[in-house]
Amino acid sequence: MARTHYIAGNWKMNTSRAEAVALAKDLVEQLKGKPNKFMIGVPFVYLDAVSQVVKGSNIILAAQDVAATANGAHTGEVSTEMLKDLGVQCVILGHSERRHEIGESDELINRKVRRALNEGLAVDLCIGELLSEREAGEAEQVCAFQLSAGLAGVTEAQMKNVTIAYEPVWAIGTGKTATPADAQAIHKFIRGYIARLYNEKVAEEAIIQYGGSMKASNAAELLAQPDIDGGLIGGASLKAETFVPICVL
């Protein structure tokens, strides 16, 4: 099955307001009419400004996190209601930096996933193993656990609004990239595991992105793999000249 590439940029904790707006304007202009699917994950504080730029374009606006609860006494949190009010359509959840720097548990990530989906937001769910886990031969086991835990309670119908991003933690921001063959092997495993959790149709239609130092120089070879359907791009998404070449492959 031929799947449209879904290329997403995760800006993480970067850019100023002016830089965010300028970058969004560049992307809207350069990606207009292009055939693939595009998303940018913008820092909370710039979502409103960027929303005004991408409104009506072919670029999906995403937040990098969301609260697991509704509005209320949750100091510092940002709810699905607030995100939708700003025009946000998607949220990145389960990123390794949230898991390993912030200490988010699989149970909390699952609550966020279900909250977002139930409130009409699409989800980009990140999974991936640490270097120590890969060296111990546990990459598939880790991905299977994070998948089943993250998708607990998610219905077959809701899976149409879920994208899976496989990001080997050891390759994020390090310049190291899984070889296309290694990445393909895990992506194939993930698709097979989705079939076990749901069915073959859900698995075949699932969009599975690769993340972890994807850039213009290696993106074509990675995206040529049969089970790699796109990319969740970090550093290379912070400039139009490094992001757009990946988007238009």
Side-chain angles (χ1 to χ4, degrees):
M1 173 181 170
R3 286 172 286 267
T4 300
H5 289 158
Y6 182 10
I7 309 298
N10 179 11
W11 294 1
K12 306 190 181 184
M13 197 171 71
N14 291 297
T15 73
S16 64
R17 179 188 174 96
E19 289 168 343
V21 168
L23 176 54
K25 286 180 177 177
D26 282 347
L27 295 178
V28 167
E29 180 180 336
Q30 295 183 45
L31 296 178
K32 183 178 182 180
K34 300 300 182 185
N36 290 329
K37 183 177 178 181
F38 312 113
M39 178 263 271
I40 49 175
V42 177
F44 279 138
V45 290
Y46 304 137
L47 282 169
D48 193 24
V50 172
S51 178
Q52 309 308 313
V53 177
V54 302
K55 186 177 181 179
S57 76
N58 60 341
I59 298 175
I60 296 165
L61 181 64
Q64 298 174 18
D65 188 30
V66 72
T69 54
N71 290 338
H74 308 290
T75 301
E77 291 287 78
V78 176
S79 69
T80 53
E81 295 92 326
M82 294 171 178
L83 294 181
K84 290 195 295 181
D85 194 32
L86 295 179
V88 170
Q89 302 152 279
C90 178
V91 61
I92 299 169
L93 295 171
H95 193 280
S96 66
E97 290 155 4
R98 302 294 304 177
R99 294 177 187 269
H100 300 296
E101 289 185 19
I102 310 300
E104 289 193 3
S105 66
D106 286 281
E107 188 273 335
L108 176 59
I109 292 164
N110 176 247
R111 286 173 57 207
K112 291 182 176 186
V113 167
R114 287 184 286 116
R115 177 79 194 167
L117 292 172
N118 289 339
E119 292 298 314
L121 291 173
V123 167
D124 205 329
L125 175 62
C126 304
I127 63 171
E129 80 282 1
L130 298 166
L131 180 59
S132 58
E133 293 166 334
R134 169 165 282 268
E135 290 177 339
E138 299 171 351
E140 291 185 355
Q141 180 182 339
V142 169
C143 289
F145 178 81
Q146 291 178 351
L147 264 181
S148 56
L151 294 175
V154 174
T155 68
E156 178 179 337
Q158 287 177 320
M159 282 299 291
K160 295 182 184 298
N161 291 317
V162 176
T163 298
I164 303 299
Y166 167 62
E167 296 197 307
V169 181
W170 47 271
I172 298 173
T174 63
K176 297 179 180 178
T177 311
T179 66
D182 285 343
Q184 163 58 22
I186 294 291
H187 278 244
K188 183 178 180 179
F189 169 80
I190 291 169
R191 197 175 304 282
Y193 198 78
I194 292 172
R196 288 172 56 186
L197 292 175
Y198 295 93
N199 54 56
E200 291 289 346
K201 183 175 185 292
V202 171
E204 185 61 25
E205 293 177 352
I207 301 299
I208 309 173
Q209 299 167 323
Y210 174 78
S213 297
M214 182 184 276
K215 44 192 176 289
S217 60
N218 60 25
E221 194 174 3
L222 286 162
L223 291 171
Q225 303 303 310
D227 289 293
I228 298 180
D229 307 314
L232 182 58
I233 318 298
S237 72
L238 294 174
K239 293 182 179 179
E241 56 262 38
T242 53
F243 188 51
V244 171
I246 303 172
C247 291
V248 298
L249 286 172

